[in-house]
Amino acid sequence: MLTKNTFCCLLALLFMQSQLLAQDKLNFKFGKVSPGDFDVNSTLIDSSTNAVVIADVGKSEFIANASDLTFSLAFTEKKRIKIINKNGFDAATIIIPLYVNDAKVEKLDYLHAYTYNMEGGKVIETKVEKSSVFTERHSKHWLYNKFTFPALKEGSIIEYSYQVKSDFFFNLQPWTFQGEYPVLWSEYRAGIPEFFKYVTLSQGYQPFLVNKVDESLVSFAFVQHDDMGRATADGRFTVDGNIDYHTWIMKDVHALKEEAYTTTLRNSIAKIEFQLNQVWFPHSSPQNYMDTWAKVSDDLMLANEFGVPIERANNWLDKDVDAIVKNETTDGGKAQKIFEYVRDNFTCSDDGMYITTNLKDVLRNKSGSVADINMLLIAMLRNQKLDANPVILSTRAHGFAHELYPLMDRYNYVIAKVVTGGKEYYLDGTIKKLKYGSLPSKVYNGQAREITKGQAKPVYFVADSLREADVVFVNITQLDNGQVEGSFNHKLGIYESLQLREKATATTIDDLQKSTQKEYPEDIAVNDLEIDSLKLLNEPVAIKYNLKVKSFNDEDIVYFNPMLTEAIKRNPFAAADRFYPVEMPYTMDNTYNLVMNIPKGYKIDELPKSARVNFNDDEGMFEYLITANDDFIQMRCKLFFKRANFANDDYQTLRDFYSFIIKKEAEQIVFKKIK
């Protein structure tokens, strides 16, 4: 028997289900804007929000191309945006890309776009005219259709819809759910017939509201034509096949803003991409479109812009390379001499994985792209019968390269690998002041590939393997004349040394001393700045200077920060929330040491307390140890991280950790004059 309580529970369950279903649908229709639509409310909108994407809906489907007896791709997009203020006007400039290859080009079938404004209590629409849509060639394979919405004001709603038809099966449109503005609703549907096999690549940290696949049997109708292009009487036929109807929906997607310790937002933006793997029509053999790494490596080594120039004998290099390695008897010595010659004598113009010009011209002009210079470096190493190969990778700013699939557009850089004395060395001849066997931190971005004939061996450059250690020693004492003076000695890490060497080439010691002085308060003077090991590239750089402390002349109370200028003053993790990982360029081990004689006539009134805090048990540590007696103060401050990369789940802990450090390092010693 159905009781009253059971009946109420069933009603409540049905109500909850109906609410969930309502959440899976848009609450408005594109093309119809009412006065109430201008009132957009969301917890994602705050004082920093310049525009908001109300809805972005896309659909890809395969349609029968009856005349060509093949399939075409039809992609449609509908998008509505609310412009909140003038800083959001950039959202009103739209680009629709079209792929071009040989004689074929994707076709923009239609475009409808309107600006909506409220005037006198009524909705006024302004159409984007065809004449205001411009087409420009962006690159060899891409045309851009660009337009900007007219009658734009703060508070405007803009809306557009279009369709692109394509004969390029590999160009199943990707979909981006996230961007620089918050997105209240993002929906993408794709109907993929069983004849087309794609690898789906999904990334991001935003959860799906809906992620489902429905299957259905569909018939595609085609028409056979004769030699005159006329449909034959018995030429009509159908091809049946199952279609997977994919639906992906995200709701209330946060704007993605670049924050400290971010390699690139490309790694974190919520999106879906497709790579065509295979086409297999009924009664035919399958066609594979995605190559294996072995095939890719063979193709690269046979390419004129990659492998061919280094596979040649290159006897034209004999005279130059012999002069470079003169008097060197070991393979290691020869490799280092060749690297140093390229590093010190060539100017790099641009990144790149493919050679852009003849290697003879690169040698003659002493300039070229990353690929030009590093492939010449490999050719010169091979000229001396050294085991040297190219290694392709993606830099941190370019984004991660996919480890499983040979997606070559994910790679944008090439370096050299040489083996001497049974040891592997990785070299980049395009970075001035970089020591032999080191690489710039920008290439530490995960998986890379060493390319040889028939093999693409994985190599890994991870930021967690880099350790940047620097040490500061400060000694402050009082001279016989009563003047309080000190010495500052800072031994820099590998990458700080590289940065200072690069900076020192464009400035003078006097300028460096002046810029250092600006970091100190007026009562501390910097003198006699020196830089050690500036030209010894295999050694860390050390900065030394003297300090003159003027605070203790005749003041009753002196406030003195023992960290001097080395205290962390700003939290790099300022945002309240972060929706992607923290990616530091390297691990760190920073130590600050201070020994200070207490100036005569003064005593310590207040001394900071010692503290020690661990980050995630043993993944990091901050230590602030300070002791004092009647004569002197000793202090050591240490910040240490074992890891460089942290999941966004660690963000709040990391933010609180730095907040504690900043507060602690701001504490001062209070000296009081003895009366």
Side-chain angles (χ1 to χ4, degrees), residues 579-591:
F579 303 99
Y580 55 91
V582 173
E583 300 161 316
M584 297 180 180
Y586 32 69
T587 67
M588 66 175 71
D589 187 357
N590 302 334
T591 305

Side-chain angles (χ1 to χ4, degrees), residues 106-143:
E106 291 179 331
K107 180 184 177 184
L108 182 62
D109 254 14
Y110 65 80
L111 170 65
H112 306 303
Y114 295 88
T115 304
Y116 298 93
N117 289 302
M118 283 292 294
E119 295 181 10
K122 296 182 179 180
V123 178
I124 305 300
E125 68 176 41
T126 306
K127 184 180 180 180
V128 174
E129 301 295 340
K130 285 185 178 181
S131 58
S132 63
V133 181
F134 299 94
T135 301
E136 65 177 41
R137 180 166 293 273
H138 176 69
S139 62
K140 180 180 178 182
H141 290 297
W142 290 101
L143 292 177

